[in-house]
Amino acid sequence: QVQLVESGGGLVQPGGSLRLSCAASGSMFAATTMGWYRQAPGEKRDLVATITSGGTTNYADSVKGRFTISRDGAKNTVNLQMSSLKPEDTAVYYCNAMWLVLGVRSGSWGQGTQVTVSS
């Protein structure tokens, strides 16, 4: 199975910045789409941002203008640069990767990394 490992989470003050990264291993193909999702306590897991192998990005309205997603397709890595962080950004952030190869779709999730925005 493909494994995704997130890193970069931690505690940051409101208005601060944090950069998350995720690396996928065990796949012979670049992921069709990679992205970040987050889940706050008592809430469902929501999309934060995604990026395709062609570079097309998609962002949740709540993070537009503050977060930037990027990827290294050859290495199946994805990054999330988070700026102007707010307390409501506090959540566990999960990396996701999806492959669509020869008409077969598969995907993997990372274990998550905690982001806490607090004074």
Side-chain angles (χ1 to χ4, degrees), residues 9-81:
L11 175 65
V12 64
Q13 296 182 5
S17 298
L18 205 61
R19 185 178 181 87
L20 306 182
S21 63
C22 171
S25 63
S27 176
M28 296 180 62
F29 305 94
T32 303
T33 303
M34 298 189 74
W36 291 93
Y37 295 71
R38 67 186 181 187
Q39 186 169 18
E43 303 292 333
K44 65 181 179 67
R45 187 175 298 184
D46 292 327
L47 180 149
V48 176
T50 61
I51 184 167
T52 70
S53 59
T56 300
T57 59
N58 182 43
Y59 296 92
D61 288 341
S62 60
V63 307
K64 287 181 179 178
R66 300 190 297 120
F67 292 8
T68 301
I69 189 170
S70 61
R71 70 176 288 171
D72 180 341
K75 297 184 180 296
N76 279 336
T77 60
V78 63
N79 302 302
L80 186 69
Q81 178 65 51

Side-chain angles (χ1 to χ4, degrees), residues 76-119:
N76 279 336
T77 60
V78 63
N79 302 302
L80 186 69
Q81 178 65 51
M82 305 183 292
S83 300
S84 301
L85 283 162
K86 306 174 181 179
E88 49 262 48
D89 294 319
T90 296
V92 177
Y93 284 69
Y94 296 90
C95 178
N96 174 263
M98 188 273 286
W99 289 261
L100 183 61
V101 182
L102 300 178
V104 179
R105 178 178 292 174
S106 61
S108 296
W109 290 95
Q111 293 81 11
T113 185
Q114 178 71 47
V115 172
T116 302
V117 184
S118 175
S119 298

